[in-house]
Amino acid sequence: MTLEPLKLELEEKVPGCGLEIISNPSPSAQHSLLIDPEHAVAVAMYLRDAAHLRFDYCSNVTGIDWPAPNDAGKAKLKDMEEDLEQDEADCATAGYLEVVYHLYSMEKKHGPVILRMRTCDRGLRVHLPSLVSVWRSADFQEREIFDLFGVIFDGHPDLRRILMWDEYTDHPMRRDYVEPDDYEYEPTAHDEVLRKTMNHYAK
Amino acid sequence: MDEGLKSELSKQGVVATNLQELYNWGRRNSIWPLNFGLACCAIEMIASTMARYDMARFGAEVFRPSPRQADLMIVAGTITKKMAPQVVRLYNQMPEPKYVISMGACAISGGPFKQGYNVLKGIDRYIPVDIYIPGCPPRPEALIDALMALQRKIDAQQLTGDSRPRHLNADEPSEFTVPKFGAHDLEPPQNPVVWHAPLVQIALAEDDDSGTA
């Protein structure tokens, strides 16, 4: 499904909404639509209810962690590409968390349309609107993203941790997650595990 | 009593035995497992109780839905950290004598999920395990083999003496610490009474970079 006409249509029907097409350069070419959190529910409602769109099925909700570009791991990339610095200025220096929705239409037999939403940063301003009121199937998956990435979905009917226990304070799928140091017994340690085991015994 | 004489007597319809043999014979032929499974190994456990493999031949067909009536806990599957306290609590609720079969790679060590943030690296970190069955998942034959190994183990247990099993020794614990949900991990991450890290040689020679990326 081509996103350009859809973007123009949405901008007309939902006044003031900020939309941006994120292109995917890989062979799958699944481009996605970045929507601003303020108008997310209105955009989602329109996608679901418009007679010629009818995106009635949200098949998948997932999260992505984008740490600040100057974090470890990104440093190598910066050395390789010197013109990256211009992008860096645009990009939020604190990094952000992203939530991705995959939409299909059972009625019209088309899809997917991929929606993205981004938080302001990775610390305190991690609030995004919940789309459970639009697609009930997003309920558990938004809870999972809350659990593993720490995105807080405003308007979610039951926002609790779903995989980890309530007392848990970490978000394991974030890039900067520090796992507990329990590498005391690794019978066939290699690569990453070997490094962690040696670190464990070095202490 | 001499084994040859005993065999000869049994042919004449006279059974000679002693209390220990009778007691162990009764126990080993009516091992009632606890009816619970944690992951895909449970499917193999169920298969081994069905007609094709028929664990009833070994007296272990009565899967009990209550830990109060069970003798054997088959830990069949991945133990997530969220589930581990419940598994230990179920074990504590079982009456003595009680036994544990750790079924499959996950229950032994965490298996393919060992490095996962949510997976316990083996149930033997919290409760004592009698029989380990490797496999992913182990076939029903392997579970039956484990059951037979457990029967041999029960058969060899002495009622008296220093090597008597835990349930006949009042000083030995029958309940084990239930881990608590902590902010980052289970607390404690292992029970030092039942588990300590085996000694493994992980140091590499100076110029040996095999195994490193």
Coordinates of all heavy atoms in Angstrom, one line a residue, chain B residues 8-71:
Chain B
E8 N 15.1 -69.7 46.2 CA 14.6 -71.1 46.2 C 13.3 -71.2 47.0 O 12.3 -71.8 46.6 CB 15.7 -72.0 47.0 CG 15.6 -73.4 46.7 CD 15.7 -73.7 45.2 OE1 16.6 -73.1 44.5 OE2 15.0 -74.6 44.7
L9 N 13.2 -70.4 48.1 CA 12.0 -70.4 48.9 C 10.8 -69.8 48.1 O 9.7 -70.3 48.2 CB 12.2 -69.5 50.1 CG 12.9 -70.2 51.3 CD1 13.2 -69.2 52.4 CD2 12.0 -71.3 51.9
S10 N 11.1 -68.7 47.3 CA 10.0 -68.1 46.6 C 9.4 -69.0 45.5 O 8.3 -68.9 45.2 CB 10.5 -66.8 45.9 OG 11.4 -67.1 44.8
K11 N 10.3 -69.9 45.0 CA 9.8 -70.9 44.1 C 8.8 -71.9 44.7 O 7.9 -72.4 44.1 CB 10.9 -71.7 43.5 CG 11.7 -71.0 42.4 CD 12.9 -71.8 41.9 CE 13.8 -70.9 41.1 NZ 15.1 -71.4 41.0
Q12 N 8.9 -72.1 46.1 CA 8.0 -72.9 46.8 C 6.8 -72.1 47.4 O 6.1 -72.7 48.2 CB 8.8 -73.6 48.0 CG 10.0 -74.4 47.5 CD 9.7 -75.5 46.5 OE1 8.7 -76.2 46.7 NE2 10.5 -75.7 45.5
G13 N 6.7 -70.9 47.0 CA 5.6 -70.1 47.5 C 5.8 -69.5 48.9 O 4.9 -69.0 49.5
V14 N 7.1 -69.4 49.3 CA 7.4 -68.8 50.6 C 8.2 -67.5 50.3 O 9.2 -67.5 49.7 CB 8.2 -69.7 51.5 CG1 8.5 -69.0 52.8 CG2 7.5 -71.0 51.7
V15 N 7.6 -66.4 50.7 CA 8.3 -65.1 50.5 C 9.0 -64.7 51.7 O 8.4 -64.6 52.8 CB 7.3 -64.0 50.0 CG1 8.1 -62.7 49.8 CG2 6.6 -64.4 48.8
A16 N 10.3 -64.5 51.6 CA 11.1 -64.1 52.8 C 11.5 -62.6 52.5 O 12.0 -62.3 51.4 CB 12.3 -64.9 53.0
T17 N 11.4 -61.8 53.5 CA 11.7 -60.4 53.2 C 12.1 -59.7 54.6 O 12.0 -60.4 55.6 CB 10.6 -59.6 52.5 OG1 11.0 -58.3 52.2 CG2 9.4 -59.5 53.4
N18 N 12.5 -58.5 54.5 CA 12.6 -57.7 55.8 C 11.9 -56.4 55.6 O 11.4 -56.1 54.5 CB 14.1 -57.5 56.1 CG 14.9 -56.9 55.1 OD1 14.3 -56.0 54.4 ND2 16.1 -57.2 54.9
L19 N 11.8 -55.7 56.7 CA 11.0 -54.5 56.7 C 11.5 -53.5 55.7 O 10.7 -52.9 54.9 CB 11.0 -53.9 58.1 CG 10.1 -52.6 58.3 CD1 8.7 -53.0 58.1 CD2 10.3 -52.0 59.6
Q20 N 12.8 -53.3 55.6 CA 13.3 -52.3 54.7 C 13.0 -52.6 53.2 O 12.6 -51.8 52.5 CB 14.9 -52.3 54.8 CG 15.5 -51.3 53.9 CD 17.0 -51.2 54.1 OE1 17.4 -51.0 55.3 NE2 17.8 -51.5 53.1
E21 N 13.1 -53.9 52.9 CA 12.8 -54.3 51.5 C 11.3 -54.1 51.2 O 11.0 -53.6 50.1 CB 13.2 -55.7 51.2 CG 14.7 -55.9 50.9 CD 15.0 -57.3 50.7 OE1 14.1 -58.1 50.4 OE2 16.2 -57.7 50.8
L22 N 10.5 -54.5 52.1 CA 9.1 -54.3 51.9 C 8.7 -52.9 51.8 O 7.9 -52.5 50.9 CB 8.4 -55.0 53.1 CG 6.9 -55.2 53.0 CD1 6.6 -56.3 51.9 CD2 6.3 -55.7 54.3
Y23 N 9.3 -52.1 52.7 CA 9.0 -50.6 52.7 C 9.4 -50.0 51.4 O 8.6 -49.3 50.7 CB 9.7 -50.0 53.9 CG 9.7 -48.5 54.0 CD1 8.5 -47.9 54.4 CD2 10.8 -47.8 53.8 CE1 8.5 -46.5 54.6 CE2 10.8 -46.4 54.0 CZ 9.6 -45.8 54.4 OH 9.6 -44.5 54.6
N24 N 10.6 -50.3 50.9 CA 11.1 -49.7 49.7 C 10.4 -50.3 48.5 O 10.2 -49.6 47.5 CB 12.6 -50.0 49.5 CG 13.4 -49.0 50.5 OD1 12.9 -48.0 51.0 ND2 14.7 -49.4 50.7
W25 N 10.0 -51.5 48.5 CA 9.2 -52.1 47.4 C 7.9 -51.4 47.3 O 7.5 -51.1 46.1 CB 9.0 -53.6 47.7 CG 8.1 -54.4 46.8 CD1 8.4 -54.8 45.6 CD2 6.7 -54.7 47.0 NE1 7.3 -55.4 45.0 CE2 6.3 -55.4 45.9 CE3 5.8 -54.5 48.1 CZ2 5.0 -55.8 45.8 CZ3 4.5 -54.9 48.0 CH2 4.1 -55.6 46.8
G26 N 7.3 -51.2 48.4 CA 6.0 -50.5 48.3 C 6.2 -49.1 47.8 O 5.4 -48.6 46.9
R27 N 7.2 -48.4 48.3 CA 7.4 -47.0 47.8 C 7.7 -46.9 46.4 O 7.2 -46.0 45.6 CB 8.5 -46.3 48.7 CG 8.0 -46.1 50.1 CD 8.9 -45.1 50.8 NE 10.3 -45.5 50.7 CZ 11.3 -44.6 50.4 NH1 11.0 -43.4 50.1 NH2 12.5 -45.0 50.4
R28 N 8.6 -47.8 45.9 CA 9.1 -47.6 44.6 C 8.1 -47.9 43.5 O 8.2 -47.5 42.4 CB 10.4 -48.4 44.4 CG 10.2 -49.8 43.9 CD 11.4 -50.5 43.4 NE 10.9 -51.8 43.0 CZ 11.2 -52.9 43.6 NH1 12.0 -52.9 44.6 NH2 10.6 -54.0 43.2
N29 N 7.1 -48.8 43.9 CA 6.1 -49.1 42.9 C 4.8 -48.3 43.0 O 3.8 -48.7 42.3 CB 5.8 -50.6 43.1 CG 6.9 -51.5 42.6 OD1 7.4 -51.3 41.5 ND2 7.4 -52.4 43.4
S30 N 4.8 -47.3 43.8 CA 3.7 -46.4 43.8 C 4.2 -44.9 43.9 O 3.8 -44.2 44.8 CB 2.7 -46.7 44.9 OG 3.4 -46.5 46.1
I31 N 5.0 -44.5 43.0 CA 5.5 -43.2 42.9 C 4.4 -42.3 42.3 O 4.2 -42.5 41.1 CB 6.8 -43.0 42.2 CG1 7.9 -44.0 42.8 CG2 7.3 -41.6 42.2 CD1 9.1 -44.1 42.0
W32 N 3.8 -41.4 43.0 CA 2.8 -40.6 42.4 C 3.3 -39.2 42.1 O 3.7 -38.5 43.0 CB 1.6 -40.4 43.4 CG 0.8 -41.7 43.6 CD1 1.1 -42.9 43.1 CD2 -0.3 -41.9 44.5 NE1 0.1 -43.8 43.5 CE2 -0.7 -43.2 44.4 CE3 -1.0 -41.0 45.3 CZ2 -1.8 -43.7 45.0 CZ3 -2.1 -41.5 46.0 CH2 -2.5 -42.8 45.9
P33 N 3.4 -38.9 40.8 CA 4.0 -37.6 40.5 C 3.0 -36.5 40.6 O 1.8 -36.7 40.6 CB 4.3 -37.8 39.0 CG 4.1 -39.2 38.6 CD 3.1 -39.7 39.6
L34 N 3.5 -35.3 40.8 CA 2.7 -34.1 40.9 C 2.3 -33.7 39.5 O 3.1 -33.7 38.5 CB 3.5 -33.0 41.6 CG 2.8 -31.7 41.8 CD1 1.6 -31.9 42.6 CD2 3.8 -30.7 42.5
N35 N 1.1 -33.4 39.3 CA 0.5 -33.1 38.0 C 0.7 -31.6 37.6 O -0.1 -30.8 37.9 CB -1.0 -33.4 38.1 CG -1.6 -33.3 36.7 OD1 -1.0 -33.1 35.7 ND2 -2.9 -33.5 36.7
F36 N 1.9 -31.3 37.2 CA 2.1 -30.0 36.6 C 3.2 -30.0 35.6 O 4.2 -30.8 35.7 CB 2.3 -29.0 37.7 CG 3.8 -28.8 38.2 CD1 4.4 -27.6 38.0 CD2 4.5 -29.8 38.7 CE1 5.7 -27.4 38.3 CE2 5.8 -29.6 39.1 CZ 6.4 -28.4 38.9
G37 N 3.1 -29.2 34.6 CA 4.1 -29.0 33.6 C 4.4 -27.6 33.3 O 3.5 -26.7 33.6
L38 N 5.6 -27.2 32.9 CA 5.9 -25.8 32.8 C 6.1 -25.4 31.3 O 5.9 -24.3 30.9 CB 7.2 -25.5 33.5 CG 7.2 -25.7 35.0 CD1 8.5 -25.6 35.6 CD2 6.3 -24.6 35.6
A39 N 6.4 -26.4 30.4 CA 6.7 -26.0 29.0 C 6.5 -27.3 28.2 O 5.8 -28.2 28.5 CB 8.0 -25.3 28.8
C40 N 7.2 -27.3 27.0 CA 7.0 -28.3 26.1 C 7.4 -29.7 26.6 O 6.8 -30.7 26.1 CB 7.7 -28.0 24.8 SG 9.2 -27.0 25.0
C41 N 8.3 -29.8 27.6 CA 8.6 -31.1 28.1 C 7.4 -31.8 28.7 O 7.3 -33.0 28.8 CB 9.7 -31.0 29.2 SG 11.3 -30.8 28.6
A42 N 6.4 -31.0 29.2 CA 5.2 -31.5 29.8 C 4.4 -32.3 28.8 O 3.8 -33.3 29.2 CB 4.4 -30.4 30.3
I43 N 4.5 -32.0 27.5 CA 3.8 -32.7 26.5 C 4.4 -34.1 26.4 O 3.7 -35.1 26.3 CB 3.9 -32.0 25.1 CG1 3.5 -30.6 25.3 CG2 3.1 -32.7 24.1 CD1 2.0 -30.4 25.7
E44 N 5.7 -34.2 26.5 CA 6.4 -35.6 26.5 C 6.0 -36.3 27.8 O 5.8 -37.5 27.7 CB 7.9 -35.4 26.4 CG 8.3 -34.8 25.1 CD 8.0 -35.6 23.9 OE1 8.4 -36.8 23.8 OE2 7.3 -35.1 23.0
M45 N 5.9 -35.6 28.9 CA 5.5 -36.2 30.1 C 4.1 -36.8 30.0 O 3.8 -37.9 30.4 CB 5.6 -35.2 31.2 CG 5.2 -35.7 32.6 SD 5.4 -34.4 33.9 CE 3.9 -33.5 33.6
I46 N 3.2 -36.0 29.4 CA 1.9 -36.5 29.2 C 1.9 -37.7 28.3 O 1.2 -38.7 28.5 CB 1.0 -35.4 28.6 CG1 0.8 -34.3 29.6 CG2 -0.4 -35.9 28.2 CD1 0.4 -33.0 29.0
A47 N 2.7 -37.6 27.2 CA 2.7 -38.8 26.2 C 3.2 -40.0 26.9 O 2.7 -41.1 26.7 CB 3.7 -38.4 25.1
S48 N 4.1 -39.9 27.9 CA 4.6 -41.1 28.5 C 3.6 -41.7 29.5 O 3.8 -42.9 29.9 CB 5.9 -40.8 29.3 OG 5.7 -39.8 30.2
T49 N 2.6 -41.0 29.8 CA 1.5 -41.6 30.7 C 0.4 -42.2 29.8 O -0.4 -42.9 30.4 CB 0.9 -40.6 31.6 OG1 0.3 -39.6 30.8 CG2 2.0 -39.9 32.5
M50 N 0.4 -41.9 28.5 CA -0.7 -42.4 27.7 C -0.4 -43.8 27.3 O 0.6 -44.4 27.5 CB -0.8 -41.5 26.5 CG -1.3 -40.1 26.8 SD -3.0 -40.1 27.4 CE -2.9 -39.5 29.1
A51 N -1.3 -44.4 26.5 CA -1.3 -45.8 26.2 C -0.1 -46.3 25.6 O 0.4 -47.4 25.8 CB -2.5 -46.2 25.4
R52 N 0.5 -45.5 24.7 CA 1.7 -46.0 23.9 C 2.9 -46.3 24.8 O 3.6 -47.3 24.6 CB 2.0 -45.0 22.9 CG 3.1 -45.5 21.9 CD 3.4 -44.5 20.8 NE 4.3 -45.0 19.9 CZ 4.0 -45.6 18.7 NH1 2.8 -45.7 18.4 NH2 4.9 -46.1 17.9
Y53 N 3.2 -45.4 25.7 CA 4.3 -45.6 26.6 C 4.0 -46.1 28.0 O 4.7 -46.8 28.6 CB 5.2 -44.3 26.7 CG 5.7 -43.9 25.4 CD1 5.1 -43.0 24.6 CD2 6.8 -44.6 24.9 CE1 5.5 -42.6 23.3 CE2 7.3 -44.2 23.6 CZ 6.7 -43.3 22.9 OH 7.1 -43.0 21.6
D54 N 2.8 -45.7 28.5 CA 2.1 -46.3 29.6 C 3.0 -46.4 30.9 O 3.5 -47.5 31.3 CB 1.7 -47.8 29.2 CG 0.6 -48.3 30.2 OD1 0.1 -47.5 30.9 OD2 0.3 -49.5 30.1
M55 N 3.2 -45.3 31.5 CA 4.0 -45.2 32.7 C 3.3 -46.0 33.8 O 3.9 -46.2 34.9 CB 4.2 -43.8 33.1 CG 5.6 -43.5 33.7 SD 6.2 -41.9 33.4 CE 5.3 -41.0 34.6
A56 N 2.0 -46.3 33.6 CA 1.3 -47.1 34.7 C 2.0 -48.4 35.0 O 1.8 -49.0 36.0 CB -0.2 -47.3 34.2
R57 N 2.7 -48.9 34.0 CA 3.4 -50.2 34.2 C 4.4 -50.1 35.4 O 4.8 -51.1 36.0 CB 4.2 -50.6 32.9 CG 3.3 -50.9 31.8 CD 4.2 -51.2 30.6 NE 4.8 -49.9 30.1 CZ 5.9 -49.9 29.4 NH1 6.5 -51.0 29.0 NH2 6.4 -48.8 29.0
F58 N 4.8 -48.9 35.7 CA 5.8 -48.7 36.8 C 5.1 -48.1 38.0 O 5.8 -47.7 38.9 CB 6.9 -47.8 36.3 CG 7.6 -48.3 35.0 CD1 7.1 -47.9 33.8 CD2 8.6 -49.2 35.1 CE1 7.7 -48.4 32.7 CE2 9.2 -49.7 34.0 CZ 8.8 -49.3 32.8
G59 N 3.8 -48.1 38.1 CA 3.1 -47.7 39.2 C 3.1 -46.2 39.4 O 2.8 -45.7 40.5
A60 N 3.4 -45.4 38.3 CA 3.5 -44.0 38.5 C 2.4 -43.3 37.6 O 2.6 -42.2 37.1 CB 4.8 -43.5 38.1
E61 N 1.2 -43.9 37.5 CA 0.2 -43.3 36.6 C -0.7 -42.3 37.3 O -1.4 -41.6 36.7 CB -0.6 -44.4 36.0 CG -1.7 -45.0 36.8 CD -1.2 -46.1 37.8 OE1 0.0 -46.1 38.1 OE2 -2.0 -46.9 38.3
V62 N -0.7 -42.4 38.6 CA -1.6 -41.5 39.4 C -1.0 -40.1 39.5 O -0.4 -39.8 40.5 CB -2.0 -42.1 40.7 CG1 -3.2 -41.5 41.2 CG2 -2.1 -43.6 40.6
F63 N -1.2 -39.3 38.5 CA -0.7 -37.9 38.6 C -1.7 -37.2 39.6 O -2.9 -37.1 39.3 CB -0.7 -37.3 37.3 CG 0.6 -37.5 36.5 CD1 0.9 -38.7 36.0 CD2 1.5 -36.5 36.4 CE1 2.0 -39.0 35.3 CE2 2.7 -36.7 35.8 CZ 3.0 -38.0 35.2
R64 N -1.1 -36.6 40.6 CA -1.9 -36.0 41.7 C -2.0 -34.5 41.4 O -1.0 -33.8 41.2 CB -1.3 -36.2 43.1 CG -1.2 -37.7 43.4 CD -2.4 -38.5 43.1 NE -3.5 -38.1 43.9 CZ -4.7 -38.8 43.9 NH1 -4.8 -39.8 43.0 NH2 -5.7 -38.4 44.6
P65 N -3.2 -34.0 41.4 CA -3.3 -32.5 41.3 C -3.0 -31.7 42.5 O -3.1 -30.5 42.5 CB -4.8 -32.3 40.9 CG -5.5 -33.5 41.5 CD -4.5 -34.6 41.5
S66 N -2.7 -32.4 43.6 CA -2.3 -31.6 44.8 C -0.9 -32.1 45.3 O -0.6 -33.2 45.3 CB -3.3 -32.0 45.9 OG -2.8 -31.6 47.2
P67 N -0.1 -31.1 45.7 CA 1.2 -31.5 46.2 C 1.2 -32.3 47.5 O 2.1 -33.1 47.8 CB 1.9 -30.2 46.4 CG 0.8 -29.2 46.5 CD -0.3 -29.7 45.7
R68 N 0.1 -32.2 48.2 CA 0.0 -32.9 49.5 C -0.1 -34.4 49.2 O 0.1 -35.2 50.1 CB -1.3 -32.5 50.2 CG -1.5 -31.1 50.4 CD -0.5 -30.5 51.5 NE -0.8 -29.1 51.8 CZ 0.1 -28.4 52.4 NH1 1.3 -28.9 52.8 NH2 -0.1 -27.1 52.6
Q69 N -0.5 -34.9 48.0 CA -0.6 -36.3 47.8 C 0.5 -36.8 46.9 O 0.4 -38.0 46.5 CB -2.0 -36.6 47.1 CG -3.1 -36.1 48.0 CD -4.4 -36.0 47.2 OE1 -4.4 -36.1 46.0 NE2 -5.5 -35.9 47.9
A70 N 1.5 -36.0 46.5 CA 2.4 -36.4 45.5 C 3.8 -36.8 46.2 O 4.2 -36.3 47.2 CB 2.7 -35.3 44.5
D71 N 4.5 -37.8 45.5 CA 5.8 -38.2 46.0 C 6.9 -37.6 45.1 O 8.0 -37.6 45.5 CB 5.9 -39.7 45.9 CG 4.8 -40.4 46.6 OD1 4.6 -40.2 47.8 OD2 4.1 -41.2 45.9

